[in-house]
Structure formats: structure tokens, C-alpha cells
Amino acid sequence: DEHTLTFVFDGPIPEGNVNIAGIAASDKWGRSVPRVEDDARVGRLAASATIGDFVWNDENADGIQDADEKGIAGAKVKLTLPDGTTQEAVTNANGLYLFSGLAAGEYTAELILSSIPAPPEGDNKITTAKSFTVDLVDDQQFLTADFGVVAELPKTGITADLFALAAMALLLAGTGILLVVRKPEDEDDAVITA
């Protein structure tokens, strides 16, 4: 009869190490069974890298996390895995998110801006990088995939050129108003002042 025994090892095995298992056994009559060796190259047992970590309200729109700027709860972050599939994480009450248990490889984290409610007037705008692509190695913790968001006021439709033209027109009109013709009692002494 042929029997199969399975042994489970629970613990980290450094990549590239050789696992040699030797089993001593005997048959039902007590006779020794020749030793069997299994030489197998093994890698890591579990993926251990992480990507995160913060989505916040960047009130001054400078792309820098200030101590008084609060996290945004309920924001969704999409992670694209090395095989092209995606996962989503939702920020907690403090604006924190985390993708953990990742194997080595290239990942892209991207904020789903539409998951954050827009202000009554205007739209949300990302003040940091729109996505972070990182080539993770085993056990790496990449916790700087942070996204700043600010409410952007609606556009007025007035461009800088139009504003400059309107300012020039007002300046010319003001100059014209300052031009005063004063007629003195003696008509020969008319003076024009500006």
C-alpha cells in the first residue's frame, strides 16, 4: 500500500533556502522502510508588504499634511495589483486606509475622487499626486501613498486677460473723469487741469 503523509510547517522560511525532510518509517511487521528525502526549494509562505495610508482635507491646498488638517472618512482608494486586478479600501473615521498581505511586485494606489462628497458649490480637487506606483519587495511598508483633497470654488468665467482689460477700461474712464475744464470769470484765463 502507498500512503501519503502531509506535514505543515508554520513559520517564515527565508527565500532560497533548501528544505530537506527525512522520514524514518517501518512497515506493519516492524521492518525498516528505506529513508525518503524530499529536497524542495521553497519561498515565502505569506505575502507581507503593505501600502497606505491617509486621505485628508488639505484646507490650505498646499499638498502638505498640516497638524490641524483632518482626515476624510469614507474615501475609496483603488489598488491595481501586478496582475492587473484591482482592490478597494475605504478610509476609516480618521482618514486612514491600508492594503496589507501583498506579495512583491508593482502596485498603483489611486484615490477615487468621486467617493468624496463634493461641496454645495464647486468640486473637489486633489492637491497631491493623483496616484502612487511602487515596486514592493517582501516585508516593505509603503505608508506614504497619501492624498490631499480641497474643495475648489466654482469658476466665474472671468479670465486674467478679461480682468486686465476691464481694469484698463476703468483706469481710462477714471482719468477722463479727472480731466476737468474750469472756466474762470475772465475768459482769457481758462485753465485745464488733470
Side-chain angles (χ1 to χ4, degrees):
D1 283 340
E2 186 175 305
H3 297 282
T4 301
L5 299 174
T6 302
F7 297 92
V8 177
F9 178 79
D10 185 15
I13 300 173
E15 190 171 346
N17 281 4
V18 176
N19 176 25
I20 299 176
I23 300 172
S26 58
D27 63 17
K28 64 181 179 176
W29 295 281
R31 293 178 296 193
S32 180
V33 175
R35 181 179 165 153
V36 177
E37 287 192 0
D38 174 25
D39 181 354
R41 303 246 178 230
V42 295
R44 291 233 164 299
L45 295 180
S48 57
T50 58
I51 294 177
D53 127 283
F54 193 48
V55 178
W56 86 97
N57 184 8
D58 189 5
E59 293 175 8
N60 59 2
D62 66 355
I64 299 170
Q65 298 174 33
D66 298 322
D68 61 337
E69 292 175 330
K70 304 214 181 320
I72 299 173
K76 292 182 182 178
V77 179
K78 178 176 77 171
L79 184 68
T80 302
L81 284 63
D83 65 2
T85 60
T86 61
Q87 296 178 5
E88 283 187 8
V90 178
T91 57
N92 68 13
N94 297 316
L96 297 170
Y97 76 94
L98 185 69
F99 294 98
S100 60
L102 303 174
E106 185 177 278
Y107 295 83
T108 300
E110 178 182 3
L111 177 65
I112 301 173
L113 191 58
S114 62
S115 68
I116 301 170
E121 293 186 23
D123 292 311
N124 288 322
K125 174 184 165 186
I126 297 177
T127 61
T128 57
K130 295 184 189 309
S131 66
F132 293 87
T133 299
V134 60
D135 195 4
L136 291 176
V137 297
D138 286 333
D139 298 326
Q140 181 178 356
Q141 292 188 1
F142 186 82
L143 300 178
T144 55
D146 300 333
F147 300 96
V149 178
V150 67
E152 188 176 46
L153 296 175
K155 304 220 183 294
T156 62
I158 298 176
T159 63
D161 292 342
L162 185 57
F163 185 74
L165 185 61
M168 184 62 84
L170 287 173
L171 182 64
L172 290 173
T175 303
I177 291 171
L178 290 177
L179 187 60
V180 176
V181 176
R182 183 171 57 110
K183 185 175 182 185
E185 292 181 19
D186 186 2
E187 299 238 354
D188 291 336
D189 294 331
V191 177
I192 298 175
T193 59

